[in-house]
Amino acid sequence: MCSQLQSQNLSVEYLFLFDGSHSYVAAYTQTYRAKLTPGKESEAETEALCAFIQQFTGIEYNKLLETLLPLSDLEARANIAVDLITSSHKNISRDSLHFAATTFYYKLKAADGYVPAAKYHGNVMLLRAKTSSNYEQNLGADYKLSEVCDGKV
């Protein structure tokens, strides 16, 4: 987004990234993509919603897979996700949760296909979690941000 703003001659004073980069997201989604049948959107939707649900519940992955995969579309999967989450978190708005579940999938899908078209001109403040994950192992300390920006990371 900052590169797009700069391409329109708009200034960007600060860029803070919270534990992520284009390369970090690609490493994350690549592990899931490897398990999917190319062109089967139902599998991609199910994988994303399994990850989403597991942020809120302790439901086992295989049980979620059995429940979500046979459903007809993302709408049906999101409705079940909301049911599963609100069964133990009754204080969360169903509408907000449904929106969050569906946009979680669309954001992952968009991020998975994103390749920076231009370099960001400026410094980047990358805030990383203290704990590490498998996804960042081959990315280096800057999550490969120095490849897409000409400032200091």
Side-chain angles (χ1 to χ4, degrees):
M1 291 173 80
C2 290
S3 295
Q4 290 175 8
L5 289 170
Q6 288 179 336
S7 73
Q8 296 173 17
N9 295 320
L10 298 170
S11 68
V12 177
E13 194 169 342
Y14 301 104
L15 173 56
F16 290 86
L17 296 176
F18 295 92
D19 208 23
S21 72
H22 66 293
S23 295
Y24 185 90
V25 172
Y28 178 84
T29 56
Q30 182 179 6
T31 21
Y32 287 96
R33 201 177 332 106
K35 297 190 278 185
L36 304 178
T37 307
K40 272 206 111 169
E41 198 74 10
S42 60
E43 291 179 10
E45 292 170 1
T46 298
E47 284 292 335
L49 288 179
C50 284
F52 183 80
I53 294 165
Q54 287 181 318
Q55 293 179 77
F56 297 90
T57 73
I59 301 171
E60 291 182 27
Y61 169 80
N62 287 336
K63 184 171 172 34
L64 291 172
L65 197 63
E66 288 173 15
T67 303
L68 298 176
L69 192 55
L71 299 175
S72 60
D73 56 18
L74 181 61
E75 180 71 17
R77 290 182 185 91
N79 286 333
I80 294 300
V82 169
D83 291 344
L84 292 170
I85 295 167
T86 56
S87 68
S88 58
H89 297 282
K90 301 191 182 321
N91 59 334
I92 302 176
S93 156
R94 290 184 64 83
D95 288 341
S96 295
L97 199 52
H98 188 278
F99 177 78
T102 54
T103 57
F104 180 78
Y105 170 70
Y106 289 124
K107 287 175 190 176
L108 279 177
K109 187 175 177 178
D112 182 49
Y114 176 70
V115 177
K119 279 196 172 198
Y120 170 71
H121 304 293
N123 298 328
V124 177
M125 176 62 70
L126 172 63
L127 302 167
R128 293 177 42 158
K130 287 183 180 181
T131 58
S132 62
S133 72
N134 295 336
Y135 309 117
E136 66 188 64
Q137 286 180 344
N138 299 318
L139 301 178
D142 73 346
Y143 290 172
K144 294 191 176 186
L145 286 167
S146 57
E147 294 177 2
V148 295
C149 81
D150 59 14
K152 180 182 170 189
V153 179

